[in-house]
Amino acid sequence: MIQRTAMKAIWQGIYTDIKGDILEGTYPFQSFLPSEAQLVQKYECSHNTLRRALTALADEGLVQPIHGKGVRVIWRPRSRALFEVGGIETYDESIRRLELDSETKVTLFEQVKATEKAAHRTGFEIGSDLIHLERVRSIAGCPVIHDESYFLASDVQGLDANKASSSIYRYLEQDLGLKIAQSRREITVEPATKRDYELLDLPEGCYMAVMSNQVFTAAGEMFEYTCSRHRPDYFVFHDIARRK
């Protein structure tokens, strides 16, 4: 049974609980979730609350409602790469699901003001007070992801290098109560830079999968810009397409 907190809507807790069961294989690919009546009884919620959670799962490509039959699981794990893009899993969720030996090392943490160049790159206004940080993600001792991030300082008060080496979003959402709504993503393939070679374990002549994110609060304010540079053998892109 999920825990209900004042800071988190009931439907979000149900969504998180069912999503966890799907990712862990409790509800495997192509199986049906328990009936709506069973889930309402399990979570002690209204039908409307449950349907809101199921809609969020469907929007994320985890399930598909089938008229007259129920809600079918359409997500399955992929073997090609560890980290997926498309809203299914965060980095921490991937690590926990795969039970990997992971380490995040903060190689830079500083407070800065947005220069004209940084503002053009990130979308923040010139002169904005920002937290600028760089992290390296390693799996079993092998560095595979190089992140560079800018956060709006007023939205991440108390963030430090120690918290940045763990889960920043867990701190922002659980400790600060920040409501993170959506992100705009751009994915490109680029030659590895000198900094990539310095920080990651790369073969010569390597190309990187590069994902740039602008992340927004529920109020529509951009609070984060992150550029993640991935070793290509640890990266896969997928999306959910619906025919109209």
Side-chain angles (χ1 to χ4, degrees):
M1 181 66 64
I2 61 172
Q3 294 181 347
R4 301 177 183 179
T5 67
M7 291 180 61
K8 196 166 189 178
I10 295 174
W11 75 265
Q12 291 177 300
I14 297 170
Y15 153 82
T16 299
D17 200 56
I18 296 176
K19 176 179 176 179
D21 285 340
I22 292 172
L23 298 182
E24 292 169 5
T26 302
Y27 302 132
F29 178 62
Q30 292 291 278
S31 68
F32 282 89
L33 297 182
S35 69
E36 184 172 309
Q38 290 173 312
L39 291 173
V40 164
Q41 183 178 19
K42 175 182 178 180
Y43 293 111
E44 300 177 359
C45 67
S46 69
H47 286 271
N48 285 339
T49 296
L50 176 66
R51 288 166 187 163
R52 190 171 181 185
L54 295 177
T55 296
L57 292 166
D59 288 344
E60 200 167 329
L62 291 165
V63 302
Q64 180 179 341
I66 308 296
H67 183 69
K69 292 187 177 181
V71 179
R72 171 169 268 166
V73 176
I74 61 172
W75 180 88
R76 63 171 179 164
R78 293 164 173 79
S79 59
R80 180 190 177 278
L82 296 176
F83 308 109
E84 302 182 345
V85 178
I88 297 298
E89 290 184 316
T90 66
Y91 177 86
D92 283 349
E93 288 170 339
S94 297
I95 292 302
R96 290 196 299 271
R97 173 176 60 82
L98 297 169
E99 299 181 350
L100 296 173
D101 177 17
S102 172
E103 179 185 13
T104 296
K105 181 180 179 181
V106 178
T107 54
L108 174 69
F109 189 98
E110 61 181 357
Q111 293 189 357
V112 300
K113 285 189 177 292
T115 63
E116 183 176 354
K117 180 179 179 181
H120 177 75
R121 178 187 180 196
T122 66
F124 289 114
E125 293 185 1
I126 297 173
S128 298
D129 291 318
L130 306 175
I131 300 294
H132 176 214
L133 63 97
E134 181 183 69
R135 291 172 292 172
V136 176
R137 315 277 200 175
S138 297
I139 303 298
C142 178
V144 296
I145 302 174
H146 164 210
D147 288 344
E148 183 182 15
S149 300
Y150 291 86
F151 289 91
L152 195 62
S154 59
D155 282 344
V156 297
Q157 295 180 15
L159 181 65
D160 55 28
N162 183 56
K163 294 182 180 70
S165 67
S166 182
S167 172
I168 292 179
Y169 275 25
R170 188 184 305 127
Y171 170 70
L172 298 181
E173 292 180 315
Q174 296 183 7
D175 292 8
L176 298 187
L178 187 68
K179 302 298 184 183
I180 301 171
Q182 63 180 344
S183 68
R184 295 178 60 186
R185 292 172 172 169
E186 178 180 280
I187 300 173
T188 58
V189 177
E190 303 174 8
T193 65
K194 180 180 178 180
R195 188 60 172 162
D196 292 330
Y197 283 110
E198 290 173 351
L199 296 174
L200 304 181
D201 183 13
L202 300 174
E204 185 177 352
C206 187
Y207 277 71
M208 307 293 291
V210 180
M211 181 172 67
S212 300
N213 281 313
Q214 292 175 310
V215 191
F216 300 84
T217 67
E221 178 185 61
M222 191 181 82
F223 76 95
E224 176 194 0
Y225 170 86
T226 290
C227 180
S228 294
R229 303 179 66 85
H230 297 244
R231 260 182 49 168
D233 51 339
Y234 281 80
F235 180 88
V236 62
F237 172 80
H238 68 89
D239 198 1
I240 304 302
R242 294 181 175 86
R243 185 174 179 84
K244 296 183 179 181

